[in-house]
Amino acid sequence: MDGVSVSWETLELHTAQPFGIARWTHSVYPRTIVTFTQDGIVGRGEAAPNAFYGETHGTVEAVLPLLAEALTDPWDWDGLRAGLTARMPHDHPSVKCALEMAALEWCAVSVGLPVWKLLGLSPAPLPRSSYTVSLADIPDMRRQAREAVAAGHTVLKVKLGTERDTAILEALREEAPKVALRVDANAAWTRPQAKRMLGVLDAARVELLEQPLAADDLAGHAELRRLSRVPLVADESLHHVRDVIALAEAFDGVNLKLAKLGGPLQALAALRLARAHGLSVMIGCMIESSLGISAAAHLAGLCDWADLDGALLLADDPFTGLEWTAGELARPQGVGWGVTRG
């Protein structure tokens, strides 16, 4: 072996417009690109930290020198996971994701395959991705919906979590009467508020409801699930693969994000565990470049729903290669993750 190295750089990605959810609104997202090089072959990963899961770009840069030591043999995926866990048992999932991504791409490039073929995953068509209408004032949210529909998107995910939620949902259904609507409250509703919203969701023909209550309120979600016609999908309640078992009693489905679970192989394990417990599965994302989105897209053919618009929301995506037609994301076909640095 020669030229073995792990390197990284942090980029500031900018959304085309401020992106708001119940907890915050941001326009700048630091993302760290990790590169593993061995024998002249390169594998890449992306760390997309989220403060809700205890990470910032500062923590990413602080722990990468330690966690990168675990990546020595890119083919030893179990050994990589064991090494990462030994160094940091429970924290820094986005860094672990980036390193796992880099190992997988190195292996796929070394044999000339896309990662999904390397893993023997389904070649089934990907589910149509939603496009997010971020939280803002109602006229701005109407504009976002109008522009998304004009661009051909047929599934919108609406960010809620305010006292204006009924008015927002009514306005967006009026603005976009034919699209499929999904709602994401980002854990911001109280139990009484969530119960009051059930009739509003029904009237707006909402397809699914993502994380209405606080992450640790599984009893509240279980009660709401018994009352709701709309399927409940866990996001903030899911931090680790092992969480899936407990969530099966409170939710109808889970939203898998590679950056919060620790990588594609961890998301794949969570997906299989979810299926074993009768749960539906969404593949989701953070605000990420096309590198991170492509990694999630490699698993999307196994899922019921997709929410992979993170790179579409950017003004300055540093990677190219994903093929979108409105909400239709084509399965990545290139070697490795199938994207190139622009």
Side-chain angles (χ1 to χ4, degrees):
M1 296 188 298
D2 69 319
V4 177
S5 69
V6 182
S7 61
W8 52 87
E9 63 172 321
T10 296
L11 309 175
E12 282 195 347
L13 305 185
H14 301 80
T15 51
Q17 59 189 6
F19 185 80
I21 69 171
R23 291 190 293 272
W24 43 250
T25 298
H26 296 313
S27 299
V28 181
Y29 294 81
R31 298 297 183 242
T32 300
I33 307 302
V34 173
T35 302
F36 173 76
T37 305
Q38 180 176 292
D39 298 331
I41 299 171
V42 172
R44 304 157 301 164
E46 179 172 354
N50 187 307
F52 187 86
Y53 302 103
E55 290 190 285
T56 67
H57 71 281
T59 66
V60 168
E61 293 177 347
V63 303
L64 254 170
L66 176 62
L67 290 179
E69 295 175 352
L71 179 49
T72 54
D73 179 357
W75 285 106
D76 185 7
W77 303 337
D78 289 341
L80 172 59
R81 176 53 40 181
L84 293 172
T85 301
R87 288 164 174 81
M88 294 281 178
H90 306 298
D91 300 319
H92 311 290
S94 78
V95 180
K96 295 173 181 177
C97 174
L99 291 164
E100 189 170 271
M101 281 179 62
L104 287 173
E105 183 172 53
W106 189 95
C107 295
V109 171
S110 73
V111 294
L113 294 173
V115 173
W116 66 268
K117 283 192 175 181
L118 176 77
L119 297 178
L121 301 183
S122 169
L126 309 190
R128 186 179 290 268
S129 175
S130 55
Y131 185 88
T132 304
V133 176
S134 73
L135 196 55
D137 60 44
I138 291 178
D140 186 61
M141 294 182 77
R142 290 186 73 126
R143 175 193 58 78
Q144 292 179 56
R146 184 164 58 251
E147 292 177 355
V149 171
H153 293 281
T154 60
V155 184
L156 299 182
K157 182 162 96 165
V158 183
K159 293 291 190 179
L160 296 179
T162 74
E163 295 302 319
R164 303 175 286 119
D165 287 351
T166 297
I168 290 171
L169 204 51
E170 289 174 348
L172 293 188
R173 178 46 85 196
E174 179 183 35
E175 187 69 46
K178 296 182 180 180
V179 302
L181 281 182
R182 301 170 183 171
V183 162
D184 184 3
N186 284 114
W189 286 348
T190 64
R191 292 189 189 185
Q193 185 180 10
K195 291 175 184 177
R196 290 196 301 270
M197 286 297 297
L198 291 181
V200 179
L201 301 178
D202 287 343
R205 307 188 308 282
V206 167
E207 183 178 66
L208 61 84
L209 172 59
E210 190 174 337
Q211 196 69 47
L213 305 175
D216 60 355
D217 189 6
L218 297 191
H221 281 104
E223 179 185 8
L224 191 65
R225 181 188 184 191
R226 290 191 291 269
L227 300 173
S228 177
R229 178 197 61 82
V230 179
L232 267 60
V233 178
D235 181 5
E236 282 89 344
S237 292
L238 176 58
H239 289 235
H240 306 283
V241 174
R242 62 180 179 271
D243 294 337
V244 170
I245 297 172
L247 297 180
E249 300 299 320
F251 292 90
D252 300 288
V254 289
N255 184 353
L256 307 181
K257 296 179 180 176
L258 277 56
K260 73 174 179 180
L261 290 170
L265 295 177
Q266 309 316 304
L268 189 57
L271 189 154
R272 289 169 173 158
L273 192 58
R275 294 301 193 197
H277 286 79
L279 290 165
S280 298
V281 177
M282 174 188 290
I283 189 75
C285 65
M286 308 297 186
I287 301 291
E288 299 171 63
S289 78
S290 285
L291 177 60
I293 299 302
S294 179
H298 280 248
L299 275 61
L302 302 175
C303 301
D304 305 291
W305 307 297
D307 178 35
L308 297 178
D309 64 338
L312 291 181
L313 302 172
L314 295 175
D316 52 359
D317 187 353
F319 292 90
T320 60
L322 290 183
E323 296 184 8
W324 284 90
T325 304
E328 295 274 7
L329 174 59
R331 175 177 297 282
Q333 295 296 326
V335 172
W337 295 122
V339 297
T340 57
R341 185 76 176 262

